[in-house]
Amino acid sequence: MFARGKYMDRGDGRELGSKRQRLVDSSQSFYGGTPGANLLYNASSYSSSYMAEPPPFPVVRLRGLPFDCTESDVADFFHGLDIVDVLFIHKHGRFSGTAFCVLGFPLQVDYALQRNRQNMGRRYIEVFRSKRQEYYQAVANELAELRGGSPKRSVSRARSYDEGKEEAEHTGVLRLRGLPFSAGKDDILEFFKDFDISEDCTHIVLNSEGRPSGEAFVEFANAEQSRAAMVKDRMTLGSRYIELFPSSLDEKKQLCSLENVWS
């Protein structure tokens, strides 16, 4: 799996795991006649105070992105950082040039801010510190627009788009788009837990650099099952909504021949 970790949708930030306890060995007595007890007491108090406050949610906002920008472009822009999620912001059905990027660790926000006013292609990108509430509000707004919160023209376009999916021929293969970079096969199996699929039937597409591209293919037992699985279209995996498309083995082979696949 590409990412080093995943976010838990609990509002308490990234779960960093247990801290290694350091034992202090002192040859002098500082507290109550016990060597090193005062140091251990202070360390324990500091640890309790630190753990009482969750780490900040590591998200930044980008502005000025090219209108053909992809998640891979953002990952390249923040090369060396752990990208957990990229959320592109749309207005009236069009990409606004703004996105939110969730990073793997709070410390990485400072490194991401160093990319402020650096170029992506011919455009310089502004990077701002953001907050968990702003990110989740943006997720909610994107879902609202997708489900009909945008003007009538966009709704009509979305309905036409949905009708095209409904009329598409099913061959037992679905293509997934919009996966978090941190998503693995286990996450996809959980997403389709109500359907009979196996790990061998799940294929995550990688880009030319060996990183997840945000797309995957899932092979079902037959066309009837893949059609039934379309009920999961635009449902969320973590904080991302996933788009599903009827596909085929030929399309899978064609795409994977141009890029790579984690079989």
Side-chain angles (χ1 to χ4, degrees):
M1 192 182 299
F2 166 65
R4 280 77 167 174
K6 287 183 271 186
Y7 264 90
M8 309 293 289
D9 288 330
R10 303 186 308 170
D12 59 348
R14 182 177 174 79
E15 191 171 294
L16 296 177
S18 59
K19 301 288 184 182
R20 181 181 298 177
Q21 183 178 4
R22 296 185 177 182
L23 299 179
V24 180
D25 182 18
S26 174
S27 60
Q28 299 181 6
S29 176
F30 291 98
Y31 183 78
T34 305
N38 192 39
L39 294 177
L40 287 173
Y41 173 79
N42 289 337
S44 176
S45 298
Y46 174 79
S47 177
S48 298
S49 175
Y50 175 78
M51 294 303 291
E53 297 182 3
F57 190 83
V59 59
V60 295
R61 180 168 58 90
L62 296 87
R63 189 169 66 187
L65 294 168
F67 290 104
D68 58 350
C69 180
T70 65
E71 292 183 347
S72 295
D73 294 328
V74 176
D76 291 339
F77 183 74
F78 288 130
H79 181 70
L81 302 182
D82 297 295
I83 308 300
V84 175
D85 185 34
V86 179
L87 175 70
F88 294 110
I89 305 302
H90 297 79
K91 290 185 178 180
H92 308 308
R94 296 183 178 182
F95 177 44
S96 65
T98 299
F100 287 85
C101 181
V102 179
L103 302 166
F105 302 93
L107 182 62
Q108 293 187 345
V109 170
D110 292 330
Y111 289 98
L113 293 174
Q114 294 178 12
R115 298 292 298 167
N116 184 38
R117 295 187 176 274
Q118 298 294 313
N119 278 31
M120 179 184 292
R122 297 182 178 180
R123 306 192 63 172
Y124 74 85
I125 309 302
E126 294 179 285
V127 183
F128 305 92
R129 194 182 300 273
S130 188
K131 298 180 180 179
R132 180 180 64 242
Q133 293 86 347
E134 295 173 341
Y135 167 70
Y136 281 114
Q137 183 60 54
V139 172
N141 292 342
E142 285 296 295
L143 289 174
E145 179 162 330
L146 183 66
R147 291 170 180 170
S150 55
K152 294 182 179 180
R153 182 177 179 182
S154 296
V155 172
S156 176
R157 186 185 309 152
R159 288 176 179 171
S160 176
Y161 183 67
D162 289 339
E163 289 172 359
K165 285 186 179 183
E166 293 176 359
E167 295 174 359
E169 179 182 359
H170 279 265
T171 65
V173 180
L174 291 183
R175 180 177 178 178
L176 289 71
R177 188 170 70 185
L179 290 168
F181 287 156
S182 61
K185 290 188 176 184
D186 291 342
D187 298 305
I188 296 176
L189 292 176
E190 177 65 21
F191 185 72
F192 289 114
K193 63 182 179 181
D194 297 327
F195 300 90
D196 185 20
I197 61 173
S198 66
E199 184 174 338
D200 293 337
C201 298
T202 304
H203 312 278
I204 297 177
V205 180
L206 308 178
N207 61 22
S208 59
E209 297 181 353
R211 299 175 180 175
S213 65
E215 293 190 305
F217 289 88
V218 175
E219 299 176 34
F220 293 82
N222 49 54
E224 287 72 21
Q225 284 196 22
S226 68
R227 183 180 295 277
M230 285 296 294
V231 70
K232 303 288 289 184
D233 185 31
R234 294 178 181 171
M235 290 191 178
T236 56
L237 194 163
S239 60
R240 299 292 308 277
Y241 69 83
I242 308 301
E243 292 185 280
L244 303 180
F245 303 89
S247 185
S248 65
L249 290 175
D250 289 339
E251 184 181 20
K252 170 183 169 291
K253 292 178 181 178
Q254 182 180 6
L255 180 62
C256 296
S257 65
L258 296 175
E259 302 187 52
N260 299 300
V261 64
W262 179 7
S263 299

